[in-house]
Amino acid sequence: MRAAVLREVNAPLTIEEVYVSEPAAREVLIRTVATGICHSDLHFQQGSFPFELPTVLGHEAAGVVERVGSDVTYVRPGDHVITCLSAFCGQCEHCLTGHLVRCSASTLNRDKDQEPRLFQRGNEIHQFLNVSAFAEYMLVHEHALVQIRPDMPLDRAALIGCAVTTGVGAVVHTAAVEFGSSVAVIGCGGVGLSCINGAALIGAGQIIAIDTVDSKLRLAKKFGATDTIDASNTDPVEAVRHLTTDGVHYSFEAIGLKSTTEQAWNMLRPGGCATVIGLIPEGIVISIHGNDLIQEKKLQGSLMGSNRFRVDMPRLVEFYLNGKLNLDDLISGHVQLEHINDCLAQLRSRTVTRNVIMFE
């Protein structure tokens, strides 16, 4: 199969022939139909987070089941599925207490004495985040996918695999935003826009979108923002305080920077909660004033929207098909696999929200 392989940090991905193994007992071979190009892929390509190389990046995907292992009963060939990087074992303490997204069990991986899921000339190609979606096929553990209804467009479904689940989930699960409350979202990329959409779905009274790109602020209005702040020419903390009585009840950081995380904290009202969704590189220290804690403010992280993806993703599909979830405006364009490096460059320039690779 063709796949986009990352061999060196900060190097272009190369389109190569890669072999995919046959499904083991609890594995599923998926024919990839659509894959979203996420900013997280760019982070790993740039080396912000170390990962074993060579690898096939990509983790936000949807496709059709091609073959299943002997013990798989959840799906069968022909089923439409979304993959999810937060695969679960179902047996560890995190899974058994309802926090599936925190599961990191190695039981989902193949043993060292087994053939690698992906390989080339006898050498392993490391699987990326349980998925490796920049490829014509994905071989995943059955606990890394969810079945969806067949009438859901798969280019839209792919976005649910990461950006939408992460953004909406941070609002609904991690922060548990209350009806009628005020919300500020810093960063209007795919995750931030989904966060805004989630706040609108939950009934937030005021939703303030913050970015430095005017086109993204205009787009945020389509997702439910009631107010926008251009942070390129104003202090967003002061602007938020001007728009609210004493800061917001909830803030969300969807970029992954020290400065914007501290802004998310500083724009809170007493008792407010700041949730960091963006990936912050190792070694970055966030500074907050200790006496703010006396005001019962909270700073927390969110991993993949604290999801229960086999429950959440089918519900998000229903929201889309019922016209309540905006996925159409998240897509900047449809591209072929050969254009992957151009798309990563566009992410670096912040000129797009999501390009989607189409394999059919």
Side-chain angles (χ1 to χ4, degrees):
M1 67 172 182
R2 293 184 312 138
V5 180
L6 175 66
R7 295 193 170 276
E8 296 180 24
V9 169
N10 274 326
L13 278 61
T14 54
I15 309 302
E16 304 177 17
E17 287 294 324
V18 174
Y19 291 94
V20 59
S21 183
E22 288 295 317
R26 302 194 65 185
E27 293 177 345
V28 178
L29 181 66
I30 303 164
R31 175 169 47 83
T32 313
V33 174
T35 300
I37 305 173
C38 176
H39 213 98
S40 298
D41 297 308
L42 178 62
H43 281 312
F44 281 92
Q45 189 256 348
Q46 293 177 322
S48 301
F49 300 92
F51 195 82
E52 292 183 286
L53 300 178
T55 187
V56 174
L57 296 176
H59 61 279
E60 185 181 79
V64 179
V65 174
E66 190 85 0
R67 292 195 294 278
V68 301
S70 58
D71 293 344
V72 174
T73 58
Y74 174 63
V75 291
R76 59 186 181 182
D79 286 344
H80 289 202
V81 295
I82 302 172
T83 56
C84 187
L85 66 93
S86 56
F88 61 93
C89 72
Q91 300 173 351
C92 69
E93 180 179 351
H94 296 302
C95 288
L96 294 175
T97 55
H99 304 290
L100 280 70
V101 73
R102 301 177 193 167
C103 177
S104 59
S106 60
T107 54
L108 302 180
N109 301 322
R110 285 193 168 185
D111 295 332
K112 293 295 184 181
D113 59 351
Q114 290 181 288
E115 180 179 75
R117 286 177 179 156
L118 303 174
F119 57 94
Q120 192 179 60
R121 295 183 293 274
N123 298 314
E124 180 177 6
I125 303 292
H126 299 283
Q127 189 171 42
F128 180 67
L129 302 180
N130 298 307
V131 182
S132 282
F134 292 163
E136 292 176 319
Y137 290 89
M138 299 174 285
L139 180 62
V140 306
H141 191 281
E142 64 173 332
H143 285 175
L145 58 82
V146 56
Q147 182 182 354
I148 59 170
R149 49 191 286 183
D151 57 337
M152 176 65 181
L154 290 177
D155 60 336
R156 272 64 171 170
L159 305 182
I160 293 175
C162 179
V164 178
T165 292
T166 298
V168 175
V171 170
V172 175
H173 297 313
T174 313
V177 169
E178 294 183 356
F179 175 82
S181 57
S182 56
V183 171
V185 179
I186 304 176
C188 297
V191 173
L193 291 172
S194 297
C195 190
I196 291 167
N197 204 163
L201 283 171
I202 211 71
Q206 184 178 26
I207 305 170
I208 305 170
I210 304 167
D211 206 290
T212 59
V213 180
D214 185 63
S215 61
K216 291 188 175 182
L217 292 173
R218 291 196 302 270
L219 195 57
K221 288 282 192 176
K222 291 186 176 183
F223 286 79
T226 59
D227 302 274
T228 60
I229 295 172
D230 185 346
S232 67
N233 56 29
T234 189
D235 180 348
V237 175
E238 291 302 318
V240 165
R241 293 194 174 278
H242 178 74
L243 288 169
T244 60
T245 303
D246 194 17
V248 290
H249 295 95
Y250 302 92
S251 62
F252 296 87
E253 197 281 347
I255 301 174
L257 297 175
K258 170 184 170 66
S259 59
T260 47
T261 298
E262 292 169 355
Q263 289 169 358
W265 172 261
N266 291 326
M267 63 181 58
L268 291 176
R269 64 186 292 151
C273 178
T275 301
V276 180
I277 311 172
L279 290 175
I280 299 178
E282 292 183 20
I284 301 298
V285 177
I286 307 302
S287 299
I288 62 174
H289 293 288
N291 60 359
D292 286 350
L293 298 172
I294 299 175
Q295 298 179 331
E296 296 193 343
K297 295 181 181 180
K298 296 178 285 294
L299 176 65
Q300 64 180 357
S302 178
L303 175 60
M304 282 291 292
S306 307
N307 73 73
R308 308 85 39 93
F309 74 85
R310 281 201 177 169
V311 174
D312 296 340
M313 290 186 181
R315 290 179 178 178
L316 291 168
V317 167
E318 295 298 325
F319 276 128
Y320 171 74
L321 293 175
N322 290 331
K324 298 176 182 178
L325 184 69
N326 186 354
L327 301 180
D328 298 343
D329 288 315
L330 280 179
I331 299 177
S332 301
H334 296 87
V335 300
Q336 299 299 306
L337 183 63
E338 289 76 12
H339 298 119
I340 180 65
N341 290 305
D342 293 334
C343 293
L344 291 172
Q346 290 176 345
L347 280 181
R348 285 193 293 271
S349 67
R350 301 191 66 214
T351 58
V352 298
T353 49
R354 271 298 190 282
N355 280 312
V356 178
I357 300 171
M358 300 301 297
F359 291 88
E360 295 185 353

